C-alpha cells in the first residue's frame, strides 16, 4: 500500500466508532477520525466514508481524493450541490446486497401473489379458505432499473416463473427479461400487475412513481418501491390505492427516514412499510467491502464501483 500513513479518513456515520475500529483493523496504518466526535483539520482529510452527510459537509475538505458511500446509492452525497464533482465517489455493492434484494423482491411479490396476508388472517380465524393464485407465467412483473440490484431481482423473478419486463436507461439485453429502454416507459408500464422500482435517484427519476405512471398499470396492480423515497409521489400513491388503481404497495424507502410515526402511510390497510432493510447486509460484510475499496484507492487504483457523476449513479 502506497500512502496509508499520510492519508486521513473522515467517517460520517451514526456508527462512526465501529467504522473507525473496523477500518483501522482492515487497513493497517490508516488514520481515521469520526465526524462530530473527533477534532481534525479539514485540509488533512483525503478520504471520506459516509452515509447521509449534511449539506456543506465537503466544503472545507480541500485535499479530498475520493468518497466512499456506505450504501449502493449515492444520492445522499450528490444531493449536496457543493460536492466537488472532480472527486470520485465509490459505492458499496456486491453479491451480498444482490442476494438480499433478490430475497426482498421475491418475498413481497410472492406474499401478494399467493395472498399470504389473507391466508394468515383465515388461519388465525380458524377458517378453511383456499386461495388460488394464477400461474406465475400469467403474471406480468416489471422491474425499473436493471443494474446490480434490479438485475438480481429480475433474475430471481424469472426463476420463479413470472413474466418479467425490465426498464433501463440504455435498454441493454438481459437474459429472460423483456427489456425496454428509457424512451419506452409507457410501453413498459402498460398492463403490468406488479411494478418494482429499483432505480437510483437522479434528476430524471425523481417523482417517476406518480399518477401518470400508475394509470398505465393493470387495475389493482401492486407496487414495490425499494430504490429511493424521492421516486414516489406519496399523494398520488394514496389516491391510486383509494381508487383501486393500485391494489397494494410495499415501501422500503422514504423521503425522510426514519418515517415519521405520524405519517399516514403507516396506517393505510393496503400499505406495508419496511424500514430501508431491503438489501441490508451484515455490517461486518459491508465493512469488508468498504475496506477493500479503500485499500484499492490507497494502492493508486480506482475500484470498479466508481459512480458516473455525469449520469448521477
Ligand atoms: P445500478 O447503478 O447498478 O443500476 C441502476 C439501474 O437503473 C441501471 O439499470 C440503469 O440503466 C437504470 N437507470 C438509471 N437511470 C435511468 C433512467 N433515467 N431511465 C431508466 N433506467 C435508468 O444501481 P443498483 O442496482 O446498485 O441500485 C439501485 C438503487 O437501489 C440505488 O441507487 C439505491 O437508491 C437503491 N438501494 C436501495 C437499497 C435498499 O435497501 N432499499 C439498498 C441499496 C440500494 P443502465 O443499465 O442503462 O445504466
Ligand atoms: C442504499 C443502501 O444505498 O442501503 O440504500 O445501500
Amino acid at each position: 500500500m502506497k500512502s496509508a500513513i499520510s492519508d486521513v479518513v473522515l467517517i460520517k456515520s451514526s456508527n462512526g466508532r465501529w467504522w473507525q475500529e473496523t477500518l483501522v483493523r482492515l487497513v493497517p496504518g490508516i488514520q481515521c477520525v469520526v465526524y462530530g466526535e473527533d477534532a481534525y483539520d479539514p485540509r488533512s482529510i483525503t478520504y471520506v466514508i459516509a452515509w447521509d452527510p449534511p449539506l456543506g459537509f465537503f466544503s472545507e475538505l480541500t485535499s479530498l481524493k475520493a468518497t466512499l458511500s456506505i450504501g449502493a446509492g449515492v444520492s445522499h452525497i450528490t444531493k449536496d450541490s457543493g460536492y466537488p464533482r472532480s472527486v470520485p465517489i465509490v459505492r458499496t455493492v456486491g453479491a451480498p446486497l444482490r442476494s438480499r434484494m433478490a430475497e426482498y423482491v421475491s418475498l413481497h411479490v410472492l406474499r401478494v401473489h399467493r395472498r399470504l396476508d389473507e391466508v394468515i388472517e383465515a388461519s388465525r380465524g380458524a377458517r378453511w379458505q383456499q386461495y388460488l393464485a394464477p400461474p406465475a407465467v400469467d403474471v406480468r412483473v416489471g422491474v425499473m432499473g436493471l443494474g446490480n440490484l434490479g438485475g438480481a431481482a429480475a433474475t430471481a423473478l424469472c426463476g420463479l416463473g413470472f413474466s418479467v419486463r425490465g426498464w433501463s436507461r440504455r435498454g441493454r439485453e438481459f437474459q429472460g427479461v423483456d427489456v425496454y429502454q428509457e424512451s419506452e416507459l409507457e410501453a413498459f408500464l402498460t398492463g403490468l400487475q406488479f411494478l418494482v422500482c429499483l432505480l437510483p435517484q437522479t434528476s430524471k427519476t425523481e417523482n417517476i412513481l406518480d399518477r401518470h405512471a400508475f394509470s398505465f398499470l393493470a387495475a389493482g396492480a401492486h407496487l414495490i418501491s425499494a430504490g429511493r423515497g424521492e421516486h414516489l409521489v406519496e399523494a398520488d400513491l394514496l389516491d391510486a390505492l383509494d381508487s383501486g388503481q393500485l391494489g397494494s404497495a410495499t415501501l422500503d424507502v422514504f423521503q425522510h427516514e426514519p418515517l415519521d410515526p405520524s405519517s399516514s402511510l403507516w396506517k393505510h390497510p393496503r400499505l406495508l412499510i419496511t424500514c430501508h432493510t431491503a438489501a441490508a447486509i451484515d455490517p461486518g460484510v459491508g465493512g469488508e467491502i468498504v475496506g477493500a475499496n479503500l485499500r484499492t484507492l490507497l494502492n493508486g487504483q480506482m475500484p470498479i464501483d466508481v459512480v458516473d457523476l455525469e449520469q448521477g449513479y
Side-chain angles (χ1 to χ4, degrees), residues 72-74 91 93 97 101 145-150 167-172 182 198-202 204-205 226-228 252-253 276-280 313:
V74 295
R91 63 200 197 99
V93 296
L97 276 101
M101 189 56 89
L146 281 180
N148 248 312
L149 301 178
W167 186 64
S168 67
R169 187 168 60 83
R170 289 164 286 190
R172 287 186 297 196
E182 192 175 2
L198 288 172
L199 289 166
Q201 180 193 349
T202 69
K204 288 173 163 182
T205 65
R228 280 290 176 268
D252 189 55
V253 285
H276 201 144
T277 50
Y313 70 96

Side-chain angles (χ1 to χ4, degrees), residues 23-38:
L23 291 173
V24 165
R25 178 170 52 78
L26 294 174
V27 188
I30 195 73
Q31 292 180 64
C32 296
V33 289
V34 177
Y35 175 79
E37 297 188 37
D38 298 327

Side-chain angles (χ1 to χ4, degrees), residues 122-287:
S123 171
R124 300 264 181 274
R127 273 185 290 114
W128 183 267
Q129 171 77 56
Q130 293 177 321
Y131 291 102
L132 297 181
V137 69
D138 293 338
V139 178
R140 293 176 297 277
V141 185
V143 182
M144 302 175 94
L146 281 180
N148 248 312
L149 301 178
T155 300
L157 292 166
C158 288
L160 290 168
F162 290 98
S163 290
V164 183
R165 289 184 202 163
W167 186 64
S168 67
R169 187 168 60 83
R170 289 164 286 190
R172 287 186 297 196
E173 270 186 36
F174 197 99
Q175 198 182 1
V177 175
D178 192 7
V179 178
Y180 296 71
Q181 59 183 298
E182 192 175 2
S183 59
E184 299 173 316
L185 178 60
E186 293 177 2
F188 161 77
L189 293 169
T190 299
L192 288 176
Q193 286 139 313
F194 284 84
L195 179 63
V196 178
C197 183
L198 288 172
L199 289 166
Q201 180 193 349
T202 69
S203 56
K204 288 173 163 182
T205 65
E206 282 166 12
N207 299 323
I208 197 162
L209 300 174
D210 65 357
R211 65 178 65 238
H212 181 71
F214 300 149
S215 71
F216 292 96
L217 304 176
H222 304 280
L223 173 69
I224 297 174
S225 169
R228 280 290 176 268
E230 284 77 1
H231 294 139
L232 180 65
V233 180
E234 282 180 12
D236 289 5
L237 169 73
L238 293 172
D239 285 350
L241 286 167
D242 291 343
S243 72
Q245 177 57 30
L246 285 181
S248 77
T250 303
L251 309 180
D252 189 55
V253 285
F254 304 89
Q255 287 185 26
H256 302 288
E257 294 181 1
L259 183 62
D260 196 283
S262 68
S263 167
S264 54
L265 296 177
W266 291 107
K267 298 190 187 76
H268 199 289
R270 281 179 288 123
L271 252 176
L272 180 69
I273 307 290
T274 59
C275 306
H276 201 144
T277 50
I281 56 171
D282 177 70
V285 175

